[in-house]
Amino acid sequence: MKSKVLLIYTGGTIGMMQDAKTGQLKPFDFKHLTEQIPELNKFDVALSAISFEKPIDSSDMQPTVWVEIARMIEKNYSKVDGFVILHGSDTMSFTASALSFMLESLSKPVILTGSQLPIGTIRTDGKENLITAIEIAAAKKSGKPIVSEVCIYFEYQLYRGNRTHKYNAEHFQAFQSANYPVLAEAGVHLKYNISALAKPSNKKLKVHTSLNPNIAILKVFPGITENVVQAILSSKNTKAIILETFGSGNASTQKWFIEALKKAIDKGVIIYNVTQCNAGAVEQGKYATSAAFKKIGVIGGSDITTEAAVAKLMFVLANSKNNKEAEKLLKSNLRGEIS
Ligand code: ASP
């Protein structure tokens, strides 16, 4: 039996081609995908494709679009063996993180991929990315999918989606997963890192479509003014703030800063401490410069990425009854997003 894979084209560079007349990049017709990539005909995979009516540059991504993608997956879940989502690389890590929280008890692969150069260009990285992403989405062992989580495949590497960060706008290798091992490597052979892969769920897929976008990011820097901090902490309707701190979760010990944070926490705003570093984790209390955070009720984000923290906060805020429950969920490893 051939594996069935559904391609969902949301937009981004990968699906663009140059208009012969204007020279501008425009999305190509996904009904004619194999005209662009004849290699797809050689695959022993039953491929189907759906495209957003209006493909978007992923910098225009919104939580409402994540809901749209999650619903497309839900609708087709029993019909196919795996999904490949074509997506711009700019916000791919955010989308992969959001989908990981929205798709509970996943037992099939959801692989996001894209490219730095459009498929139609000679040096495109899109063909390899797409072809191997399909191979991974179709891969089975003893009749069961090898991968059963939300991943990003880019430039010969498969990553856990909610561990990734786009760190390079120039190189074909655009993503990094600094705090979690690569899940598979594509060389002459496709080598899976079996012990790092999530175990498939034996429960029924549960799709969560409620997200609360009332969050903010406060990135600290030497010299940040009280004005700026106050403006973010007291912004209307904001329910949770990612405090992007130095190193292992440190920031200024100035009295006004700690007091401002405490006041926000006392008013019910969740403050979530995430490091500005690419690798490593927040350890509140390791240094004196983070000890006060622990005391006033700042929640440590461990080794979560900012991208996954954004998605997790939106998910947790919409799916918990009160701040106590939200805190419990934030501290728990829900989808392999923290170590
Ligand atoms: N700006 C594009 C996007 O994220 C870049 C890309 O496709 O990689 O949609």
Side-chain angles (χ1 to χ4, degrees), residues 64-325:
T64 48
V65 183
W66 294 336
V67 172
E68 220 178 302
I69 301 171
R71 290 220 166 101
M72 282 177 173
I73 292 173
E74 183 176 35
K75 203 173 145 202
N76 291 283
Y77 197 69
S78 60
K79 297 181 203 154
V80 297
D81 299 290
F83 298 85
V84 172
I85 301 174
L86 300 177
H87 192 290
S89 61
D90 287 350
T91 61
M92 195 184 285
S93 295
F94 290 92
T95 299
S97 300
L99 289 176
S100 77
F101 295 112
M102 295 165 85
L103 305 172
E104 187 180 337
S105 305
L106 203 55
S107 59
K108 295 185 179 183
V110 175
I111 315 294
L112 286 95
T113 195
S115 67
Q116 298 278 57
L117 286 174
I119 287 245
T121 56
I122 293 175
R123 291 179 56 247
T124 185
D125 50 330
K127 275 192 189 181
E128 199 288 318
N129 284 350
L130 176 56
I131 287 169
T132 308
I134 294 171
E135 210 174 324
I136 293 167
K140 287 185 184 175
K141 202 175 173 203
S142 319
K144 296 219 164 93
I146 296 179
V147 177
S148 56
E149 56 182 304
V150 181
C151 299
I152 287 183
Y153 178 77
F154 225 87
E155 192 64 4
Y156 304 111
Q157 301 205 304
L158 182 73
Y159 309 97
R160 173 165 296 162
N162 59 27
R163 293 293 196 143
T164 60
H165 164 65
K166 181 175 178 184
Y167 80 110
N168 203 315
E170 170 67 22
H171 290 175
F172 288 139
Q173 184 162 1
F175 290 91
Q176 228 178 19
S177 166
N179 281 333
Y180 199 74
V182 165
L183 301 180
E185 208 137 4
V188 173
H189 302 286
L190 198 46
K191 283 197 185 141
Y192 291 96
N193 184 356
I194 299 291
S195 62
L197 286 166
K199 304 277 167 288
S201 171
N202 46 23
K203 292 196 199 128
K204 203 170 163 266
L205 176 76
K206 189 168 176 195
V207 180
H208 299 270
T209 52
S210 301
L211 296 167
N212 185 341
N214 288 309
I215 66 164
I217 300 179
L218 171 53
K219 181 169 183 158
V220 300
F221 55 89
I224 192 166
T225 61
E226 191 169 354
N227 250 351
V228 168
V229 171
Q230 292 291 8
I232 296 175
L233 291 179
S234 59
S235 55
K236 211 173 148 216
N237 291 335
T238 299
K239 301 274 181 286
I241 294 168
I242 294 169
L243 183 66
E244 255 206 23
T245 52
F246 310 121
S248 53
N250 312 310
S252 167
T253 51
Q254 288 175 98
K255 201 162 161 249
W256 66 261
F257 182 66
I258 303 295
E259 273 174 5
L261 290 177
K262 184 168 183 315
K263 210 169 128 201
I265 292 169
D266 290 346
K267 273 193 350 211
V269 177
I270 290 170
I271 309 283
Y272 193 36
N273 188 353
V274 174
T275 176
Q276 293 177 12
C277 292
N278 267 356
V282 162
E283 280 179 74
Q284 294 192 140
K286 184 174 174 190
Y287 289 89
T289 41
S290 67
F293 290 163
K294 213 173 170 180
K295 244 187 253 153
I296 63 172
V298 171
I299 300 169
S302 181
D303 61 349
I304 199 162
T305 61
T306 297
E307 291 87 339
V310 164
K312 190 170 184 177
L313 276 181
M314 288 188 186
F315 170 76
V316 161
L317 285 178
N319 291 284
S320 47
K321 282 182 239 69
N322 49 43
N323 276 13
K324 207 169 160 219
E325 196 187 335

